[in-house]
Amino acid sequence: MEKAALKRSLGLWAIVGLGLGYMTPTIVFDTFGIVSEETNGLVPLAYLLALGVMFFTAVSYGKMVQVFPSAGSAYTYAKETIHPYLGFLVGWAALLDYLLLPLVNALIIRIYMESAFPNVSSWIWVVGYVAIVTAINVWSMNKTSNINSILVVFEFVLIVAFLVLSFVRLSQGMGQGTILTFEPLFHTNIEIGSILAGATVVCFSFIGFDAITMYTEEAVDQKIMPKAIMYTVMIGGAIFFIASYFTQALFPSVSNFKVIDDTLPEIAFKVGGQLFQIVFLSGAFAATVASGLASHSSVSRLLYVMGRNGMLPRKIFGYVHPKFKTPARNVIIVGIISLLAIAPTLELISSLINFGALIAFTFVNLSVIAHFVFKHKRYKTKKDILDYIIMPMLGAGLTGLLWINLSTESFLVGIAWTGIGFVYLLFLTKFFTKDVSSYDFGKMEDPQIIGNVAEQTKGELAEQYRGVH
């Protein structure tokens, strides 16, 4: 009987769409008040700094995804290039933010629905939303991608509408009263420490370019992955920067906002009135659902790879549904975790996300050096030195700079989570007497998993392309 495997059905723009959906571009308006207060009115500069850090890291992801075309992302790269034990701990740390992101989306949906229907019990919205997202992810990756694409397009249209209205309001004298101004990027009260702190806050917005590496085994051609990663980073970064620039120009100070923690509703109302506020909130709702679909499917695939390799119980986490060709059990597990959104606050959960993400980013950069320089001796030409030493070192250094600016709460919870992972690793390896490299990819993968698309018929490929495009 043929072993079930993930289905190769995603084209370049389908994967980019999933990455952008994961990044939730409208989050720039939700967090504007927090970041503006943190940076003293220099939100675009914080996004520009974060984009620079993510650029170097995205280049490293592009290199590693070609070497290891597996759905394991940072976990796989660290495991295969540095040490299996370290790879496990990197994957475990990354699980923290991957598991929390679907929960955050469920929580945001709960907040939106509570404000619209205050007399309805909160748990109803969480359970309903999680059930729908889980069902779609179990059913088909194509369905997830197609629905995500529709939601992302709707979101982009509304952002363009916001930019047009912002142009009009600035021309009429609102805020800075001019479209071209350096005030959102530089002024006399600038503080480097505050900008770094702001960049640390906004860097979680970029989580999405790394998450799409989870779809490597479902790409119609794994060679498109480096391009998909870079497109996601640059398009997402451009949206964040432009949107935050116009918003900062319109609102130089946060003193006029009633609610600093989530300024999106007030921004929409002040720029376009009540009707635009309603429409824009619907776009934010769509963006959150798109992010929920993408983040839910991504973490399910990380769990799948760790289960397939025996790092987690294989019968549960390494399972692929024979009909739907999705890691159905993992999707359901993530859905159950997302139900925790019934209770906590958005501030509590979102403050914990960056720990695992920045750990993963750092070790992806270090994996490039370990693989190309130490293993394959690629340091004899100027191009090799630039590509495999200077670029990843800049990526690791800049990521580390953001990491040390994390909040104390994020550090404490992140360290506690990593400690749990370390204890589990001791159990898994029988106190390091068992080499986890014995969990070999080759012993568990069939040709379809490692990318032998040639075995699929032309009719199957044509059907997949039609499904995506």
Side-chain angles (χ1 to χ4, degrees), residues 115-268:
S115 63
F117 304 96
N119 295 324
V120 179
S121 298
S122 300
W123 67 268
I124 293 176
W125 305 120
V126 175
V127 171
Y129 164 80
V130 169
I132 293 171
V133 170
T134 301
I136 293 172
N137 270 291
V138 168
W139 183 20
S140 169
M141 192 62 238
N142 264 346
K143 299 299 183 296
T144 301
S145 172
N146 292 338
I147 294 172
N148 174 83
S149 297
I150 293 170
L151 296 175
V152 168
V153 169
F154 178 47
E155 182 181 359
F156 282 3
V157 169
L158 289 178
I159 291 176
V160 170
F162 168 81
L163 295 178
V164 172
L165 287 172
S166 298
F167 186 93
V168 173
R169 292 289 184 246
L170 287 169
S171 300
Q172 293 173 346
M174 184 176 176
Q176 295 289 349
T178 177
I179 297 163
L180 298 178
T181 173
F182 285 104
E183 285 295 315
L185 297 171
F186 179 83
H187 54 62
T188 55
N189 296 323
I190 187 172
E191 295 181 6
I192 300 300
S194 297
I195 303 303
L196 285 172
T200 303
V201 173
V202 304
C203 76
F204 89 92
S205 303
F206 286 88
I207 298 172
F209 82 87
D210 67 312
I212 62 175
T213 61
M214 300 295 176
Y215 305 120
T216 302
E217 294 177 15
E218 292 161 278
V220 291
D221 184 351
Q222 66 193 39
K223 293 179 181 178
I224 67 176
M225 292 307 299
K227 188 180 291 185
I229 291 168
M230 193 56 65
Y231 282 2
T232 302
V233 170
M234 299 313 294
I235 294 173
I239 293 170
F240 289 140
F241 176 75
I242 295 171
S244 63
Y245 171 84
F246 275 90
T247 307
Q248 191 72 80
L250 285 167
F251 306 101
S253 170
V254 296
S255 59
N256 293 326
F257 290 108
K258 295 179 181 178
V259 181
I260 302 298
D261 289 343
D262 190 346
T263 48
L264 184 145
E266 290 184 69
I267 289 172

Side-chain angles (χ1 to χ4, degrees), residues 144-435:
T144 301
S145 172
N146 292 338
I147 294 172
N148 174 83
S149 297
I150 293 170
L151 296 175
V152 168
V153 169
F154 178 47
E155 182 181 359
F156 282 3
V157 169
L158 289 178
I159 291 176
V160 170
F162 168 81
L163 295 178
V164 172
L165 287 172
S166 298
F167 186 93
V168 173
R169 292 289 184 246
L170 287 169
S171 300
Q172 293 173 346
M174 184 176 176
Q176 295 289 349
T178 177
I179 297 163
L180 298 178
T181 173
F182 285 104
E183 285 295 315
L185 297 171
F186 179 83
H187 54 62
T188 55
N189 296 323
I190 187 172
E191 295 181 6
I192 300 300
S194 297
I195 303 303
L196 285 172
T200 303
V201 173
V202 304
C203 76
F204 89 92
S205 303
F206 286 88
I207 298 172
F209 82 87
D210 67 312
I212 62 175
T213 61
M214 300 295 176
Y215 305 120
T216 302
E217 294 177 15
E218 292 161 278
V220 291
D221 184 351
Q222 66 193 39
K223 293 179 181 178
I224 67 176
M225 292 307 299
K227 188 180 291 185
I229 291 168
M230 193 56 65
Y231 282 2
T232 302
V233 170
M234 299 313 294
I235 294 173
I239 293 170
F240 289 140
F241 176 75
I242 295 171
S244 63
Y245 171 84
F246 275 90
T247 307
Q248 191 72 80
L250 285 167
F251 306 101
S253 170
V254 296
S255 59
N256 293 326
F257 290 108
K258 295 179 181 178
V259 181
I260 302 298
D261 289 343
D262 190 346
T263 48
L264 184 145
E266 290 184 69
I267 289 172
F269 179 77
K270 292 176 185 296
V271 171
Q274 188 171 8
L275 178 61
F276 182 71
Q277 182 188 43
I278 294 171
V279 176
F280 204 68
L281 279 171
S282 69
F285 186 95
T288 304
V289 174
S291 179
L293 286 168
S295 60
H296 198 123
S297 63
S298 292
V299 67
S300 301
R301 280 144 183 81
L302 176 58
L303 291 170
Y304 164 68
V305 172
M306 296 182 78
R308 187 179 64 191
N309 294 355
M311 293 290 191
L312 295 173
R314 194 174 303 156
K315 288 185 178 180
I316 298 174
F317 295 97
Y319 171 83
V320 174
H321 195 283
K323 179 180 178 180
F324 300 127
K325 303 298 170 88
T326 59
R329 290 173 183 168
N330 295 341
V331 172
I332 293 170
I333 290 170
V334 175
I336 293 171
I337 294 172
S338 297
L339 292 176
L340 295 174
I342 293 171
T345 64
L346 179 59
E347 182 180 1
L348 173 63
I349 299 300
S350 61
S351 67
L352 307 177
I353 290 175
N354 281 344
F355 181 90
L358 292 174
I359 289 288
F361 294 166
T362 300
F363 279 97
V364 168
N365 284 298
L366 296 178
S367 294
V368 171
I369 299 172
H371 179 77
F372 289 100
V373 176
F374 288 97
K375 186 175 181 180
H376 291 283
K377 313 300 180 185
R378 297 288 298 272
Y379 52 76
K380 298 178 181 179
T381 68
K382 292 181 179 178
K383 187 177 185 304
D384 283 349
I385 292 172
L386 175 64
D387 288 347
Y388 306 125
I389 298 178
I390 295 177
M391 293 283 283
M393 283 185 67
L394 283 171
L398 291 171
T399 303
L401 190 62
L402 296 183
W403 193 75
I404 62 175
N405 280 278
L406 286 171
S407 68
T408 303
E409 185 178 46
S410 297
F411 264 119
L412 293 176
V413 175
I415 290 171
W417 173 259
T418 305
I420 294 171
F422 183 77
V423 171
Y424 178 68
L425 181 62
L426 289 176
F427 167 78
L428 190 71
T429 62
K430 298 180 179 178
F431 288 87
F432 300 127
T433 60
K434 183 178 180 181
D435 186 357

Side-chain angles (χ1 to χ4, degrees), residues 14-69:
I15 295 174
V16 172
L18 285 165
L20 292 173
Y22 203 130
M23 291 169 76
T24 323
T26 54
I27 196 70
V28 63
F29 305 108
D30 289 295
T31 60
F32 173 79
I34 298 171
V35 182
S36 184
E37 195 170 45
E38 181 72 47
T39 60
N40 194 22
L42 293 169
V43 177
L45 185 58
Y47 272 108
L48 201 59
L49 177 58
L51 175 59
V53 175
M54 295 304 110
F55 172 81
F56 289 107
T57 302
V59 171
S60 291
Y61 268 101
K63 290 183 174 71
M64 297 311 297
V65 78
Q66 294 179 83
V67 177
F68 301 106

